[in-house]
Amino acid sequence: MGFLEKVLQLDDVIGQLECAEHLEELQSVIEWLRDHYAVDDMVYHWVSSNGTQYGCGTYDPAWVQRYLEKGYLRIDPVVLGCYQRFHPVDWKRLDWSGKAARAFLNDAVAHGVGNQGYSIPIRGPNGQFALFTVSHSCDDAEWESFTEIHRRDLILLAHYFNQTALKLEPGRTPEPTQPLSPREVETMTLLAVGYSRAQVAETLSISEHTLRVYIESARFKLGAMNTTHAVARAIARGQIVV
Amino acid sequence: MIRYVYGDQLAKFPHLARTMFEDRADQFRTRLGWDVSVDAEGQERDDYDDLNPLYVIWETASGVHGGSMRFLPTTGRTMVNDHFVNLTHGVPFQSPLIWECTRFCLSRNTEAGTAAALMLAGGEIMQGFGIRHFVGVFDARMVRIYTRIGAAPEVLGSQGEGRQAISVGLWEFSEAAQKQVSRVAGVPLAASRSWFDAAFGTDVPQPFISAA
């Protein structure tokens, strides 16, 4: 790496994800994120209603091939446990008791899939369904501490991957960027000029609790991972002028 | 006990589901006089019931519906964004970390502590799934009940008069509130957690590879 070359930050990579125009870009983003979070694997997996699958991720290609050949989609407890749901799932909480599920698990482990996993289901428009998964090999305590720290980041990432994947779907007209409401514009503008949260709340005559919800919602609309990033995105997109 | 049931799982609890939709008709049409759809069987349903929401239901000792509420993530269609942005200062809430809570309903005949048990379950969802905020649509008279049980929402706004008054409010998780609500509900935190685990699975210690 050159001396002056910019070290990529999480925010830059999320920006790349949003602007991606090809699936290969999603692949390089997910590899970067896998390394960033220091986990064995990270996978985005879209299952359409007619059963076609599509995605990107870091599993061994031999395992992906095997998964498709064996039709594991119909057996995989992660897919079965997440389909039609909208809450995140730790693999430990799924039902692995059936014979087919156990055989599947053994095959997965034999192909290097970790013993721990956390999967986030995503409900897109018109019945679209996708899953975002991180998996790793470690003990329970380490995994619990990892998911406790990162689960909200992962939930946001899951949705950002899905938004880009929807945009790249052939024949689909991209959805316009979600505009911020006037109140959100005020909120982000005041944060951008350096007001503290307490000052913003006071200026807008709302509680800090309400302000937290505004910021949470604006953060998602701006495709950001944190408030600082959200402010930068709002400026870059021209949604606020400072 | 509390049950957590997605819409497509209601068929597994036919009695509970039927009495929930009947109690909703009783609360929202008969008692509050709201303009809601009640079918020939006397059950109240709306468009959001078709979106496979997550219902949180208090099942009474006799096995019927005692109270319930309904959750949807704000990344999809929600009642608050479709109908009540005038009460949120024009801000449509949208985030996988903000869920909407609607159709909070209490049966006429339910046990004391039902409302608190439901709020306790809301806390389990926030803790269990990493949800930061709930935005609720509820009949304005509920504010008194929420406050009494120690789970007062931040009310953003209200519209309508008397029984027809509707409010939009926000909740976030607090350890202290969760303990207080547990006391009022008469439900120990461990029991509440065990109901959550019964619905969403218990942590099985790893490596589960030994299951082979």
Side-chain angles (χ1 to χ4, degrees):
Chain A
M1 188 184 294
F3 181 65
L4 291 174
E5 196 172 338
K6 189 170 184 290
V7 178
L8 279 179
Q9 302 291 324
L10 179 59
D11 297 351
D12 302 322
V13 174
I14 304 306
Q16 284 180 6
L17 174 62
E18 190 186 9
C19 302
E21 288 176 353
H22 304 283
L23 283 177
E24 299 78 51
E25 294 170 75
L26 262 65
Q27 181 62 31
S28 61
V29 167
I30 210 162
E31 286 171 12
W32 189 93
L33 288 168
R34 185 262 319 260
D35 296 342
H36 177 77
Y37 286 98
V39 288
D40 290 351
D41 286 298
M42 192 176 277
V43 176
Y44 166 78
H45 184 187
W46 166 334
V47 184
S48 73
S49 51
N50 63 12
T52 51
Q53 302 175 58
Y54 151 108
C56 57
T58 61
Y59 284 152
D60 182 345
W63 169 239
V64 176
Q65 190 58 37
R66 176 110 177 139
Y67 192 99
L68 295 172
E69 275 168 17
K70 297 284 255 179
Y72 277 150
L73 190 62
R74 294 188 304 274
I75 295 167
D76 186 348
V78 178
V79 173
L80 299 181
C82 287
Y83 187 61
Q84 303 288 5
R85 303 289 170 258
F86 48 79
H87 64 273
V89 170
D90 192 299
W91 289 3
K92 280 200 276 293
R93 288 180 168 253
L94 294 166
D95 181 7
W96 299 89
S97 61
K99 202 176 159 193
R102 282 205 307 275
F104 164 76
L105 175 66
N106 289 333
D107 203 9
V109 170
H111 284 86
V113 177
N115 65 328
Q116 306 280 0
Y118 192 76
S119 293
I120 295 142
I122 305 142
R123 281 186 183 182
N126 307 315
Q128 188 248 355
F129 168 70
L131 266 179
F132 184 80
T133 291
V134 284
S135 61
H136 196 55
S137 295
C138 63
D139 64 29
D140 292 338
E142 185 185 342
W143 188 243
E144 194 184 335
S145 125
F146 173 83
T147 54
E148 182 60 33
I149 293 167
H150 296 298
R151 60 184 177 164
R152 294 188 180 95
D153 273 16
L154 297 170
I155 291 170
L156 291 172
L157 280 172
H159 286 80
Y160 298 157
F161 264 93
N162 200 55
Q163 283 166 358
T164 299
L166 284 168
K167 196 179 72 181
L168 296 180
E169 192 189 12
R172 190 185 164 91
T173 25
E175 299 201 0
T177 305
Q178 180 76 36
L180 295 181
S181 65
R183 216 57 201 295
E184 288 168 306
V185 170
E186 284 179 280
T187 302
M188 300 316 284
T189 305
L190 293 172
L191 289 171
V193 300
Y195 276 45
S196 70
R197 287 185 178 220
Q199 290 168 322
V200 175
E202 198 189 334
T203 307
L204 298 179
S205 305
I206 56 175
S207 71
E208 286 193 50
H209 179 179
T210 301
L211 180 71
R212 284 194 288 278
V213 186
Y214 283 3
I215 294 172
E216 189 64 67
S217 185
R219 165 165 87 142
F220 183 68
K221 290 174 190 171
L222 290 162
M225 297 299 289
N226 55 49
T227 308
T228 312
H229 184 207
V231 169
R233 299 301 291 279
I235 294 169
R237 283 184 182 181
Q239 297 205 356
I240 64 170
V241 178
V242 183
Chain B
M1 71 173 292
I2 289 285
R3 291 202 188 268
Y4 301 80
V5 187
Y6 275 94
D8 62 1
Q9 298 170 317
L10 284 174
K12 284 195 265 179
F13 306 92
H15 193 50
L16 198 58
R18 184 174 58 77
T19 50
M20 174 173 75
F21 291 117
E22 286 171 359
D23 282 339
R24 276 174 38 175
D26 181 52
Q27 170 163 331
F28 295 109
R29 189 174 70 173
T30 310
R31 283 186 279 160
L32 295 174
W34 290 9
D35 181 20
V36 293
S37 304
V38 176
D39 66 17
E41 272 76 53
Q43 305 191 5
E44 186 274 318
R45 280 190 181 78
D46 67 14
D47 292 350
Y48 304 96
D49 291 306
D50 296 335
L51 302 177
N52 201 26
L54 175 63
Y55 299 94
V56 175
I57 307 173
W58 174 258
E59 183 179 322
T60 66
S62 50
V64 298
H65 170 264
S68 55
M69 54 188 174
R70 178 179 68 182
F71 288 98
L72 280 167
T74 59
T75 44
R77 272 191 57 206
T78 55
M79 186 187 281
V80 67
N81 289 344
D82 289 349
H83 300 287
F84 297 104
V85 279
N86 57 315
L87 298 182
T88 65
H89 309 288
V91 180
F93 295 125
Q94 207 179 28
S95 166
L97 304 178
I98 306 171
W99 284 10
E100 176 186 74
C101 175
T102 56
R103 286 295 189 259
F104 193 100
C105 169
L106 294 172
S107 160
R108 291 173 191 244
N109 310 312
T110 195
E111 293 120 351
T114 299
L118 289 169
M119 297 313 288
L120 192 58
E124 297 291 350
I125 286 178
M126 285 188 164
Q127 281 185 297
F129 299 149
I131 304 306
R132 283 210 190 274
H133 305 279
F134 293 150
V135 52
V137 179
F138 42 87
D139 70 90
R141 304 184 311 173
M142 278 305 300
V143 176
R144 195 166 36 86
I145 296 176
Y146 291 139
T147 305
R148 183 175 53 74
I149 62 184
E154 167 98 17
V155 177
L156 289 179
S158 306
Q159 67 181 41
E161 298 292 327
R163 293 186 306 154
Q164 311 255 336
I166 293 175
S167 295
V168 170
L170 303 171
W171 284 273
E172 59 189 0
F173 184 78
S174 125
E175 204 84 51
Q178 191 74 351
K179 284 190 183 134
Q180 162 71 7
V181 170
S182 158
R183 274 194 296 274
V184 178
V187 173
L189 290 171
S192 172
R193 181 56 55 86
S194 77
W195 295 332
F196 184 82
D197 290 346
F200 299 112
T202 314
D203 277 358
V204 177
Q206 304 291 75
F208 48 39
I209 300 158
S210 61

